[in-house]
Amino acid sequence: MVYFFAFILIFLSIILPKNKFLSLLWIVYFIILFGFNSFNPDLWAYQNIYRLYQNGTYDGKLVDSGYILLMQSFQNFSYSFEQFFLFIAFVSVISIFYFINKFSKYRNLVFIPMLLYPFTLSVVQSRFFFSTSIVLIGLTFLERNTKIGKILFLLFILLASTIHFSSILYLILILATSNSFKKMYSFLLLGVVGIVLLIAGGELLNLTALSQGIQRYFIGSIEFKGLVFVSRVIFFRLGIIGLLHLAFKYFRDTFDETDLFLMKSVNIIMFITMIFELVNTEFERFSRIGFIALYILIFNITSRLK
């Protein structure tokens, strides 16, 4: 039944790419897939954490203050985990819809590739998905390229990092407001070096842990090096960056200021993901909001081609 409705939505979206009622159906469909996904392998773990916090017996590794505070708020009103999880699904999907709706008139077309990737993976890692949906809201303010817009973006990133701390990496998207690609890539390289130095500086406090960490990550990458390097890094990271620059070179008149901002955001995300994914394939998840922005950009550009 899930596949049947997906097929119907995809078919109708091709015919009615701007239809608002169809967009509403997509939202409901995404919320159902997310909030009622009983096949989610991480669901039991989050359910157990919720129960243990409710009993005051949790002693695990979860320290993200925003997520903990949200759990406790729901528990104070005696809400079940299912209600809590449905709330996360609702807020996440609505936030993503807001982002897509702001930057694209063809939102129903954008939903089609998003359903295939990254939505089907993101709903499994629900806490990270929740945090990145907050990042996307922050990007809508950053696109304004004003002082208040940048401040609001930083605040949304900080909020997202309280849900899943790794979202702090998206701070580097501030470079999407750079005036030139040359300036953006220069600062991007400096940013990557700075992140590496911060990580190394923390690890250097324990040289044994540093040695073990390097061995663990690089050995894990060596096993999949061919697959990661060829299919992900070359095609889905560098390939996307290169193709976007080619599109901008030959179809510059189809890009408006919003598209240019989206292009810079996509390239930054793909570049950062590519660098860290060579060390650990878990960094794949950081590329997912880049693909949502990429889908928007593709439909925006192709709609203006003569």
Side-chain angles (χ1 to χ4, degrees), residues 25-300:
L25 292 180
W26 270 112
I27 291 171
V28 173
Y29 183 72
F30 282 132
I31 291 173
I32 291 172
L33 282 185
F34 189 164
F36 297 94
N37 181 12
S38 58
F39 295 100
N40 185 340
D42 287 350
L43 192 64
W44 181 87
Y46 285 120
Q47 197 169 19
N48 196 41
I49 290 171
Y50 191 87
R51 179 180 58 80
L52 291 173
Y53 255 104
Q54 201 165 25
N55 297 336
T57 56
Y58 181 76
D59 59 353
K61 297 179 180 180
L62 181 67
V63 294
D64 302 272
S65 58
Y67 186 80
I68 292 170
L69 181 62
L70 189 61
M71 274 198 308
Q72 292 175 333
S73 299
F74 270 74
Q75 290 167 358
N76 288 338
F77 288 98
S78 301
Y79 286 117
S80 66
F81 171 77
E82 288 73 22
Q83 291 169 310
F84 167 71
F85 196 72
L86 189 59
F87 170 81
I88 289 177
F90 179 82
V91 173
S92 300
V93 171
I94 292 298
S95 298
I96 292 172
F97 171 77
Y98 176 79
F99 176 80
I100 294 172
N101 188 59
K102 179 174 174 59
F103 292 119
S104 177
K105 293 184 293 184
Y106 305 96
R107 52 190 175 271
N108 296 334
L109 290 178
V110 175
F111 291 144
I112 297 173
M114 192 188 88
L115 172 64
L116 302 175
Y117 181 85
F119 189 81
T120 50
L121 281 179
S122 296
V123 293
V124 175
Q125 298 164 326
S126 54
R127 190 161 58 89
F128 183 77
F129 183 51
F130 184 28
S131 69
T132 52
S133 70
I134 297 172
V135 173
L136 288 175
I137 295 295
L139 276 176
T140 64
F141 291 105
L142 183 64
E143 186 266 340
R144 299 176 184 177
N145 200 16
T146 61
K147 185 178 290 185
I148 187 66
K150 290 176 181 178
I151 291 171
L152 288 171
F153 167 73
L154 294 175
L155 290 175
F156 271 92
I157 295 294
L158 293 175
L159 175 62
S161 69
T162 67
I163 303 297
H164 200 292
F165 183 72
S166 60
S167 295
I168 200 74
L169 267 178
Y170 288 116
L171 277 173
I172 205 158
L173 282 170
I174 195 78
L175 296 177
T177 58
S178 300
N179 295 324
S180 69
F181 285 108
K182 184 177 179 180
K183 183 179 178 181
M184 183 187 82
Y185 286 122
S186 297
F187 280 110
L188 188 56
L189 284 170
L190 288 174
V192 170
V193 172
I195 292 169
V196 171
L197 289 176
L198 282 172
I199 294 171
E203 292 285 2
L204 282 172
L205 296 174
N206 188 333
L207 293 176
T208 303
L210 174 63
S211 175
Q212 291 174 348
I214 290 173
Q215 289 179 29
R216 181 175 70 253
Y217 287 125
F218 276 100
I219 289 172
S221 295
I222 287 170
E223 293 175 1
F224 300 95
K225 190 172 182 180
L227 176 63
V228 172
F229 189 77
V230 176
S231 68
R232 286 190 183 177
V233 175
I234 295 295
F235 187 73
F236 291 108
R237 308 296 181 247
L238 279 177
I240 288 172
I241 293 171
L243 285 173
L244 286 179
H245 276 289
L246 281 174
F248 184 67
K249 180 179 179 180
Y250 292 105
F251 305 102
R252 188 185 294 258
D253 58 331
T254 64
F255 284 74
D256 59 20
E257 288 300 316
T258 297
D259 296 327
L260 199 55
F261 170 79
L262 289 172
M263 176 182 171
K264 290 176 181 177
S265 300
V266 170
N267 286 356
I268 290 168
I269 291 170
M270 296 306 168
F271 186 87
I272 286 291
T273 305
M274 174 184 69
I275 296 298
F276 290 102
E277 203 173 22
L278 288 171
V279 177
N280 188 344
T281 56
E282 285 292 318
F283 281 97
E284 171 273 331
R285 69 179 68 184
F286 287 93
S287 69
R288 295 174 191 172
I289 65 172
F291 276 96
I292 295 174
L294 176 65
Y295 301 147
I296 294 171
L297 185 58
I298 289 171
F299 288 116
N300 284 355

